[in-house]
Amino acid sequence: METFQQRIPTELKQIITSEEAYEYRIIPKEKNNNSIIFWSDAKNSNRLAKELSIIYNSSITINSINSTSLDTLLAKNYRKSTTTKALNFNLNFLEKLLLSAKEYDSSDIHLEPYEKQCRIRFRIDGKLIEQYTINKEEYPQIINQIKIKAGLDISQKRLSQDGRISVNTDGNEFDIRVSCLPTLHGEKIVMRILKRDTKNIDLKKLGFTDQELKTYLEGIKNPNGIILISGPTGSGKTTTLYGTLKLLNEESRNITTIEDPIEYTLEGINQVQLKEDIGFDFPSALRTFLRQDPDIIMVGEIRDEKTANMAIKAALTGHLVFSTIHTNSAWATISRLIDMSIPPFLIASTLKISMAQRLVRKLCPHCKKETCIEKIDFPSQFSIPKEMKTTFEPIGCPQCHYTGYSGRIAIYEILPIDRQMEQFIHSNDLNIDEHTQKHKIKTLKSNAIRLIKSGKTSVEEVYSILTNTI
């Protein structure tokens, strides 16, 4: 029984697709030359073996397995599509790869070459999962197909390249950002799946508490100023920004964005793609925007002093500016701007809200298990609240593919810039703990603790937040 509980090797798993695994209720057990052994709970194994021998042009052997064990293997090794639409098996491998990643709600596809073989991984719910292994001989052909579709130079293998693919196959339409990087054993490609559709983005469903949402909505009602969202790559900053722009998108407002890349398309908003290779960068785009009579400007990212200065200038001239920045907390954003040589008095007069956010996986509601607090599970310097006696831990079940987690939720740290905060900024005073406690401002750490207490996530998932934030 225990044998059936294990994940099968990738080279076996990729013999069949997820759709085929669930359609025929089969799991590859072994492959030797032109013969394949499958596990199945089929009542008529001879008939199934004959059908599969035609499909796979191989000698097929069916080993019997009970339905419960087969269901476990299917859930552990093959993900069902998030839609009910079946994949067209007449597509080539690259098309199937792209559509499969989209159907499984993957955010990125990694194609990685190594000394003896290559592998393909999907990032699902923030974690990389190996999907395929590829022979070294076949890998260059797949890479060239991707580079051609992305408009990249297939003869250039020593420099990094960036491109974009528009997919319109089998009724699916979406865009993919392609990044190509030369490594020791060949070119590695990472493809980021960009979603055109924003109809499912709703600020109320992202993870704000009622008070945080109220504070944020009050901040974005300002006619001018800067709203900054900080966090690492993949923390959901762009989704929050698009949810905000979607809310503010009215006929009476002129909204313009400069992005790299454009991840969603919003009807009624003027979206501009950054093109640094021809000198069209964030600062130059912002200079042009100010002559376009905008009401709201969204800058994809504040990367340097020039962009920061232009964003400040736009805010001072009566525009509402939204942007992202890479810092660890909402207050660290202010320190980062000062490091960029922005005078504190300008920051104090233009910044309306500084917000930090992270994405954490939610525990699967079907299998999570309540357990007693273990001090060893927490960071050594973390003080466990007295009222917290138990936590929940991931277990794994068919509904979550035995990961213990299902979906993700954002946690926020929102710092509204009031008069007292302006004084802190003017004096560059970093000690704002008393102020945040007095005004009941929730930090990333306190919100992480709230999610642990409510059983929405595990200590393991927010461990780094408990360690690294105030």
Side-chain angles (χ1 to χ4, degrees), residues 221 244-255 267-270 295-296:
K221 288 177 182 176
T244 306
L245 294 182
K246 182 181 175 183
L247 191 66
L248 297 173
N249 187 14
E250 297 177 356
E251 183 183 348
S252 59
R253 292 192 178 106
N254 177 18
I255 304 176
E267 188 71 27
I269 290 179
N270 306 290
D295 297 297
I296 297 171

Side-chain angles (χ1 to χ4, degrees), residues 125-142:
D125 283 344
K127 300 295 181 181
L128 285 168
I129 299 172
E130 187 171 281
Q131 293 294 123
Y132 302 98
T133 57
I134 304 172
N135 294 331
K136 287 284 287 186
E137 296 76 21
E138 298 172 354
Y139 187 74
Q141 181 182 355
I142 296 172

Side-chain angles (χ1 to χ4, degrees), residues 110-114 117-121 128 139 187-189:
H110 290 239
L111 293 92
E112 304 161 314
Y114 296 99
Q117 66 176 14
C118 309
R119 69 176 177 180
I120 298 177
R121 294 188 289 173
L128 285 168
Y139 187 74
E187 294 177 283
K188 173 184 177 179
I189 282 186

Side-chain angles (χ1 to χ4, degrees), residues 199 216 280 341 367 397 426:
K199 65 183 179 183
Y216 184 65
F280 190 61
S341 302
C367 63
C397 67
H426 273 295

Side-chain angles (χ1 to χ4, degrees), residues 57-77:
N57 192 27
S58 300
S59 173
I60 303 295
T61 302
I62 302 294
N63 282 7
S64 183
I65 183 177
N66 66 64
S67 296
T68 302
S69 297
L70 182 64
D71 287 337
T72 300
L73 277 172
L74 285 169
K76 276 195 172 187
N77 293 283

Side-chain angles (χ1 to χ4, degrees), residues 387-404:
E387 70 276 10
M388 191 159 64
K389 305 297 182 184
T390 62
T391 61
F392 285 84
E393 61 181 6
I395 299 299
C397 67
Q399 281 82 358
C400 63
H401 302 281
Y402 290 89
T403 62

Side-chain angles (χ1 to χ4, degrees), residues 139-396:
Y139 187 74
Q141 181 182 355
I142 296 172
I143 293 300
N144 284 339
Q145 287 179 19
I146 294 171
K147 292 173 77 171
I148 290 169
K149 281 183 173 290
L152 304 180
D153 183 357
I154 62 172
S155 65
Q156 179 56 266
K157 301 182 186 296
R158 296 182 297 171
L159 295 175
S160 61
Q161 298 185 74
D162 295 303
R164 192 180 181 99
I165 298 174
S166 291
V167 178
N168 189 355
T169 303
D170 210 30
N172 290 272
E173 289 187 27
F174 56 96
D175 295 325
I176 292 176
R177 181 183 66 186
V178 178
S179 174
C180 184
L181 177 72
T183 68
L184 177 63
H185 297 294
E187 294 177 283
K188 173 184 177 179
I189 282 186
V190 174
M191 297 187 282
R192 166 65 59 88
I193 298 174
L194 309 175
K195 301 173 183 177
R196 294 180 179 178
D197 192 4
T198 60
K199 65 183 179 183
N200 293 324
I201 299 179
D202 185 347
L203 286 178
K204 295 179 181 179
K205 298 178 181 178
L206 295 183
F208 288 102
T209 64
D210 292 341
Q211 183 57 48
E212 287 170 345
L213 184 59
K214 181 182 177 183
T215 302
Y216 184 65
L217 293 178
E218 286 175 356
I220 66 176
K221 288 177 182 176
N222 282 288
N224 55 64
I226 299 179
I227 310 289
L228 283 180
I229 304 177
S230 68
T233 301
S235 59
K237 302 185 299 294
T238 304
T239 301
T240 300
L241 278 179
Y242 276 105
T244 306
L245 294 182
K246 182 181 175 183
L247 191 66
L248 297 173
N249 187 14
E250 297 177 356
E251 183 183 348
S252 59
R253 292 192 178 106
N254 177 18
I255 304 176
T256 309
T257 74
I258 174 69
E259 305 169 62
D260 183 30
I262 298 173
E263 295 196 25
Y264 297 86
T265 55
L266 284 165
E267 188 71 27
I269 290 179
N270 306 290
Q271 296 175 264
V272 179
Q273 172 66 48
L274 193 73
K275 295 179 181 177
E276 289 185 303
D277 55 334
I278 59 172
F280 190 61
D281 54 13
F282 283 128
S284 60
L286 275 168
R287 279 192 291 271
T288 304
F289 283 4
L290 294 179
R291 296 190 289 270
Q292 288 284 317
D293 186 31
D295 297 297
I296 297 171
I297 297 172
M298 195 267 270
V299 183
E301 183 184 347
I302 291 181
R303 298 175 179 171
D304 50 39
E305 183 180 338
K306 281 186 177 180
T307 309
N309 274 311
M310 285 303 302
I312 293 286
K313 180 180 178 181
L316 287 171
T317 52
H319 306 94
L320 184 60
V321 180
F322 291 89
S323 190
T324 67
I325 192 167
H326 286 280
T327 61
N328 288 327
S329 67
W331 183 242
T333 294
I334 296 160
S335 301
R336 176 78 177 117
L337 291 174
I338 293 173
D339 289 342
M340 288 180 175
S341 302
I342 306 299
F345 76 90
L346 282 181
I347 299 172
S349 60
T350 56
L351 188 62
K352 301 302 179 186
I353 281 184
S354 177
M355 184 165 78
Q357 77 174 81
R358 300 288 189 276
L359 275 179
V360 298
R361 291 184 296 169
K362 294 188 294 183
L363 284 166
C364 174
H366 303 284
C367 63
K368 65 182 180 181
K369 180 183 177 182
E370 192 169 11
T371 182
C372 293
I373 291 277
E374 294 285 348
K375 176 61 180 173
I376 195 171
D377 294 334
F378 291 84
S380 56
Q381 69 273 31
F382 178 76
S383 297
I384 302 172
K386 292 181 180 179
E387 70 276 10
M388 191 159 64
K389 305 297 182 184
T390 62
T391 61
F392 285 84
E393 61 181 6
I395 299 299

